[in-house]
Amino acid sequence: MDIRFEKVDFTYQPNTPFEQRALFDLNLTIENGSYTAIVGHTGSGKSTLLQHLNALVKPTKGTVTIGDRVIVPETNNKNLKPIRKKVGIVFQFPEAQLFEETVAKDIAFGPKNFGVSGEDAARLAAEMLELVGLDASYLERSPFELSGGQMRRVAIAGVLAMEPEVLVLDEPTAGLDPQGRKDMMEMFQRLHEERGMTIVLVTHLMDDVANYADHVIVLEQGQIVKAGTPQEVFQDIDWLKEKQLGVPTAAIFAEKLRAKGFSFEGLPLTAEALADDLLKGFKKAGGDL
Amino acid sequence: MNKLIFGRYIPGTSFIHTMDPRAKLIASFYFIGIIFLANNWQTYAILAIFTLFAIFLSKVNIRFFIRGIKPLIWLILFTVALQMLFTQGGEVYFSWGIFTITEFGVINGLFIFCRFVLIIFMSTLLTLTTPPLDLSDAIEYLLRPLKVVRFPVHEVSLMLSIALRFVPTLMDETEKIMNAQRARGVDFGEGNLIQKMKAVVPLLIPLFVSSFNRAEDLATAMEARGYQGGDGRTKYRILHWHLKDTVVMLAFAILTGVLVLIRS
């Protein structure tokens, strides 16, 4: 399911003294099965953009096409549920959305809203809880007695249980410990690879972008300033530094090595790519392993 | 929620903006008091001119004041309608059972309408031009005499300033949770009354929980920074009463005099 933006403008509170334009003439396509990363400063319009992806807000100008549904400013607010089922959004700090008595009920809440029967929803809840790395003993516990990290997992399971085709993640690992962060990102990667889920990731962590994404969109003040593969976007390190966007760790290290006289074909963005390049250079120089 | 103009602050540097918040607060309450002095067209006209002049001084677009009335328009019209239907006296225009529309009724209804609009304009002017924290400082100052009767002035004003500070934060939080639940398939404001009420649960519980957590964090942070209650504290924001505040008070005194003179 493709998501396409055509000349999308969005203004908050139009015609009031608090009017604020957040998106300017945006054109972009999120292709079916892709792993898209959206990066940019705070206040660049990322979160506003996210809310367009499942019609939580409508553009003030332009069209958003989600699958075969076209959203224009005049679109009626009714019958948007099918879109919301297909595009699941994990908002920032999703643990704030938990409310049911038990973890099982909370995870099943989403699917039930979309008409899944009680039994199936319970089965989905158990399955998703396992997927996010918690065992079945948590099913009957209250979500409010869990730790922050566990609450996060339950909240994410609640979105996954809707079985969306597109999964939108707004900084899903913010505030998690390094291991939790890694587990979480690898789980999303598995969903992407094994179930062919389209993933849209908003993040400030360029290492995650380099490791997982196949398409990067750079937003600045509500406009797209760069888009392409991570290779293309990260190639110009000076530009990134100028925009204060951060550079993947591997690329910084490679850049330092380059200054010392090493040569790389492209700029390696991940630790693996860097290791491969170094190994190649080592062999070329006549090294023996 | 975003359409609510009433109770929000627009930054500015106009005459009204730079007034002492105490003066503005006293003036607004005083205005509500003296509006009951008006009882004929001349007095209402004077009050309207006074209000429009105040709005002009604030340099805020009058459209925002008019929009501030919109959420209350049904309440106003309901009151006006009741006045019209049940006030007796003067020439009878229309009669049906116990309902009669009379000359006095229509005039009374229009007066009530003016009264509502003027009160809303004035209080919107207060909130549009005064930052909430200044307002709570002013309230604290004005409540000070109540200390004599053991009224906990400091605690009340502390609660007030914390409450005011967290209104926008809680609004943002509400919107976030609402969006998150809508993304999970909740329809807010659709279906029959029971369905609508049920849809609010996934919003209310997280809001309460986060308020509890926030309160706990805030209390800890305050204690860690040495807060021990109101005794012996100094103030960072100090209010200054200027000449123009006295001038405004005088203007209100003159207005009262004129109203008393020409009311019938």
Side-chain angles (χ1 to χ4, degrees), chain B residues 10 16 22 31 60 97-98 108 121 129 137 151 154 156 158 171 179 187 196 205 207 209 218 221 229 233-234 255:
Chain B
I10 304 178
I16 306 273
R22 287 169 296 185
F31 184 84
V60 178
I98 56 162
N108 251 336
F121 273 12
T129 60
D137 280 350
F151 184 79
H154 169 76
V156 169
L158 178 75
M171 295 264 264
N179 271 339
D187 286 322
K196 272 185 196 168
I205 293 178
L207 261 183
V209 171
L218 183 67
R233 289 191 77 199
T234 52
L255 177 71

Short mmCIF file of all heavy atoms in Angstrom, two decimals, chain B residues 10 16 22 31 60 97-98 108 121 129 137 151 154 156 158 171 179 187 196 205 207 209 218 221 229 233-234 255:
data_model
loop_
_atom_site.label_atom_id
_atom_site.label_comp_id
_atom_site.label_asym_id
_atom_site.label_seq_id
_atom_site.Cartn_x
_atom_site.Cartn_y
_atom_site.Cartn_z
N ILE B 10 -2.41 36.64 24.06
CA ILE B 10 -1.70 37.06 22.86
C ILE B 10 -0.63 38.06 23.27
O ILE B 10 -0.96 39.12 23.78
CB ILE B 10 -2.63 37.74 21.84
CG1 ILE B 10 -3.80 36.84 21.49
CG2 ILE B 10 -1.86 38.11 20.59
CD1 ILE B 10 -4.77 37.48 20.53
N ILE B 16 -2.76 48.38 27.07
CA ILE B 16 -3.42 47.43 27.97
C ILE B 16 -2.45 46.32 28.38
O ILE B 16 -2.43 45.89 29.54
CB ILE B 16 -4.65 46.80 27.27
CG1 ILE B 16 -5.59 47.89 26.76
CG2 ILE B 16 -5.36 45.83 28.19
CD1 ILE B 16 -6.60 48.38 27.73
N ARG B 22 -2.82 43.71 38.44
CA ARG B 22 -3.78 43.97 39.52
C ARG B 22 -4.82 44.97 39.06
O ARG B 22 -6.02 44.81 39.29
CB ARG B 22 -3.06 44.52 40.75
CG ARG B 22 -2.26 43.50 41.48
CD ARG B 22 -1.37 44.16 42.52
NE ARG B 22 -0.37 45.03 41.88
CZ ARG B 22 0.59 45.65 42.55
NH1 ARG B 22 0.68 45.53 43.84
NH2 ARG B 22 1.46 46.41 41.90
N PHE B 31 -15.88 46.36 36.29
CA PHE B 31 -16.72 46.56 35.10
C PHE B 31 -17.95 45.67 35.16
O PHE B 31 -19.06 46.09 34.88
CB PHE B 31 -15.90 46.26 33.84
CG PHE B 31 -16.64 46.53 32.57
CD1 PHE B 31 -16.68 47.81 32.05
CD2 PHE B 31 -17.30 45.51 31.90
CE1 PHE B 31 -17.37 48.08 30.88
CE2 PHE B 31 -17.99 45.78 30.73
CZ PHE B 31 -18.03 47.07 30.23
N VAL B 60 -5.56 44.47 19.72
CA VAL B 60 -5.88 43.11 19.31
C VAL B 60 -7.06 43.22 18.35
O VAL B 60 -7.99 44.01 18.58
CB VAL B 60 -6.27 42.24 20.52
CG1 VAL B 60 -6.65 40.84 20.08
CG2 VAL B 60 -5.13 42.17 21.51
N GLY B 97 -50.74 31.21 24.67
CA GLY B 97 -50.76 30.56 25.97
C GLY B 97 -50.08 31.43 27.00
O GLY B 97 -50.37 32.63 27.10
N ILE B 98 -49.10 30.83 27.74
CA ILE B 98 -48.40 31.63 28.75
C ILE B 98 -47.30 32.48 28.14
O ILE B 98 -46.69 33.30 28.80
CB ILE B 98 -47.82 30.74 29.88
CG1 ILE B 98 -46.90 29.69 29.28
CG2 ILE B 98 -48.90 30.12 30.73
CD1 ILE B 98 -45.96 29.08 30.30
N ASN B 108 -35.81 44.27 27.25
CA ASN B 108 -35.04 43.57 28.28
C ASN B 108 -34.11 42.53 27.68
O ASN B 108 -32.95 42.41 28.07
CB ASN B 108 -35.99 42.88 29.26
CG ASN B 108 -35.97 43.59 30.60
OD1 ASN B 108 -34.99 44.25 30.92
ND2 ASN B 108 -37.04 43.44 31.35
N PHE B 121 -16.58 40.53 26.29
CA PHE B 121 -15.52 41.33 25.67
C PHE B 121 -14.48 41.73 26.72
O PHE B 121 -13.28 41.59 26.51
CB PHE B 121 -16.10 42.59 25.02
CG PHE B 121 -16.57 42.38 23.61
CD1 PHE B 121 -16.67 41.10 23.09
CD2 PHE B 121 -16.90 43.45 22.81
CE1 PHE B 121 -17.09 40.91 21.79
CE2 PHE B 121 -17.32 43.27 21.50
CZ PHE B 121 -17.42 42.00 21.00
N THR B 129 -4.71 39.81 27.10
CA THR B 129 -3.59 40.74 27.25
C THR B 129 -2.76 40.48 28.51
O THR B 129 -1.79 41.19 28.75
CB THR B 129 -4.08 42.20 27.31
OG1 THR B 129 -4.96 42.32 28.42
CG2 THR B 129 -4.79 42.60 26.05
N ASP B 137 -0.32 36.11 40.04
CA ASP B 137 0.38 37.01 40.96
C ASP B 137 -0.57 38.08 41.49
O ASP B 137 -0.57 38.40 42.69
CB ASP B 137 1.55 37.71 40.24
CG ASP B 137 2.76 36.82 40.15
OD1 ASP B 137 2.75 35.76 40.81
OD2 ASP B 137 3.70 37.16 39.42
N PHE B 151 -6.95 32.56 55.91
CA PHE B 151 -7.13 31.99 54.57
C PHE B 151 -5.75 31.64 54.00
O PHE B 151 -4.85 32.48 54.04
CB PHE B 151 -7.85 33.00 53.69
CG PHE B 151 -8.18 32.49 52.32
CD1 PHE B 151 -9.27 31.66 52.13
CD2 PHE B 151 -7.40 32.84 51.22
CE1 PHE B 151 -9.58 31.20 50.86
CE2 PHE B 151 -7.70 32.37 49.96
CZ PHE B 151 -8.80 31.54 49.79
N HIS B 154 -1.08 31.84 50.28
CA HIS B 154 0.06 31.35 49.50
C HIS B 154 -0.26 30.01 48.82
O HIS B 154 0.02 29.81 47.64
CB HIS B 154 1.28 31.19 50.40
CG HIS B 154 2.39 30.45 49.72
ND1 HIS B 154 3.18 31.05 48.76
CD2 HIS B 154 2.80 29.16 49.80
CE1 HIS B 154 4.04 30.17 48.31
NE2 HIS B 154 3.83 29.01 48.91
N VAL B 156 -3.16 28.71 48.04
CA VAL B 156 -4.14 28.86 46.97
C VAL B 156 -3.48 29.44 45.72
O VAL B 156 -3.69 28.95 44.60
CB VAL B 156 -5.32 29.74 47.44
CG1 VAL B 156 -6.20 30.11 46.25
CG2 VAL B 156 -6.14 28.99 48.47
N LEU B 158 -0.34 29.33 44.93
CA LEU B 158 0.58 28.35 44.36
C LEU B 158 -0.18 27.34 43.49
O LEU B 158 0.20 27.04 42.36
CB LEU B 158 1.34 27.61 45.47
CG LEU B 158 2.29 26.54 44.97
CD1 LEU B 158 3.54 27.16 44.37
CD2 LEU B 158 2.67 25.57 46.08
N MET B 171 -3.63 20.12 27.92
CA MET B 171 -4.36 20.16 26.64
C MET B 171 -3.57 19.39 25.58
O MET B 171 -4.13 18.60 24.83
CB MET B 171 -4.54 21.60 26.17
CG MET B 171 -5.42 22.42 27.06
SD MET B 171 -7.09 22.45 26.45
CE MET B 171 -7.08 23.96 25.54
N ASN B 179 -5.29 11.36 19.90
CA ASN B 179 -4.78 10.89 18.61
C ASN B 179 -4.35 9.44 18.68
O ASN B 179 -4.63 8.66 17.78
CB ASN B 179 -3.60 11.74 18.17
CG ASN B 179 -4.04 12.94 17.38
OD1 ASN B 179 -5.14 12.93 16.84
ND2 ASN B 179 -3.23 13.96 17.32
N ASP B 187 -13.66 6.06 18.11
CA ASP B 187 -14.36 7.19 17.48
C ASP B 187 -14.84 8.12 18.58
O ASP B 187 -15.77 7.78 19.31
CB ASP B 187 -15.57 6.71 16.69
CG ASP B 187 -15.16 6.04 15.41
OD1 ASP B 187 -14.20 6.52 14.79
OD2 ASP B 187 -15.79 5.03 15.05
N LYS B 196 -20.73 7.34 23.20
CA LYS B 196 -19.87 8.51 23.33
C LYS B 196 -19.19 8.52 24.69
O LYS B 196 -18.01 8.83 24.80
CB LYS B 196 -20.71 9.79 23.19
CG LYS B 196 -20.86 10.26 21.77
CD LYS B 196 -21.60 11.59 21.77
CE LYS B 196 -22.11 11.90 20.39
NZ LYS B 196 -23.05 13.01 20.38
N ILE B 205 -8.74 7.88 31.65
CA ILE B 205 -7.86 7.12 32.56
C ILE B 205 -6.39 7.47 32.33
O ILE B 205 -5.70 7.83 33.29
CB ILE B 205 -8.13 5.61 32.44
CG1 ILE B 205 -9.53 5.34 33.00
CG2 ILE B 205 -7.10 4.80 33.20
CD1 ILE B 205 -9.98 3.92 32.91
N LEU B 207 -5.20 10.16 31.20
CA LEU B 207 -4.99 11.55 31.63
C LEU B 207 -4.83 11.64 33.14
O LEU B 207 -3.96 12.33 33.65
CB LEU B 207 -6.17 12.41 31.19
CG LEU B 207 -5.98 13.21 29.93
CD1 LEU B 207 -7.20 14.07 29.69
CD2 LEU B 207 -4.75 14.08 30.02
N VAL B 209 -3.95 9.17 35.15
CA VAL B 209 -2.71 8.50 35.54
C VAL B 209 -1.52 9.43 35.31
O VAL B 209 -0.66 9.58 36.18
CB VAL B 209 -2.54 7.19 34.75
CG1 VAL B 209 -1.16 6.61 34.97
CG2 VAL B 209 -3.60 6.19 35.16
N LEU B 218 6.58 16.51 40.12
CA LEU B 218 6.69 17.95 40.39
C LEU B 218 6.97 18.18 41.87
O LEU B 218 7.82 19.00 42.25
CB LEU B 218 5.41 18.66 39.96
CG LEU B 218 5.43 20.17 40.13
CD1 LEU B 218 6.43 20.79 39.18
CD2 LEU B 218 4.06 20.76 39.89
N ALA B 221 10.52 17.31 42.62
CA ALA B 221 11.43 18.32 42.08
C ALA B 221 11.39 19.59 42.92
O ALA B 221 12.42 20.22 43.16
CB ALA B 221 11.07 18.63 40.63
N GLY B 229 7.30 25.60 51.69
CA GLY B 229 6.09 26.33 52.04
C GLY B 229 6.30 27.82 51.85
O GLY B 229 7.38 28.26 51.49
N ARG B 233 9.62 33.29 51.97
CA ARG B 233 10.05 33.30 50.57
C ARG B 233 10.14 34.73 50.08
O ARG B 233 9.39 35.60 50.51
CB ARG B 233 9.05 32.53 49.70
CG ARG B 233 9.09 31.06 49.90
CD ARG B 233 8.29 30.38 48.82
NE ARG B 233 9.03 30.35 47.56
CZ ARG B 233 8.47 30.15 46.39
NH1 ARG B 233 7.17 30.01 46.30
NH2 ARG B 233 9.20 30.09 45.32
N THR B 234 11.07 34.96 49.14
CA THR B 234 11.09 36.25 48.46
C THR B 234 10.45 36.07 47.09
O THR B 234 10.21 34.95 46.67
CB THR B 234 12.54 36.74 48.29
OG1 THR B 234 13.29 35.69 47.67
CG2 THR B 234 13.15 37.08 49.63
N LEU B 255 -16.49 56.88 34.70
CA LEU B 255 -17.52 56.10 34.02
C LEU B 255 -18.68 55.80 34.97
O LEU B 255 -19.85 55.94 34.60
CB LEU B 255 -16.90 54.80 33.50
CG LEU B 255 -17.86 53.83 32.80
CD1 LEU B 255 -18.28 54.38 31.46
CD2 LEU B 255 -17.22 52.47 32.62
#
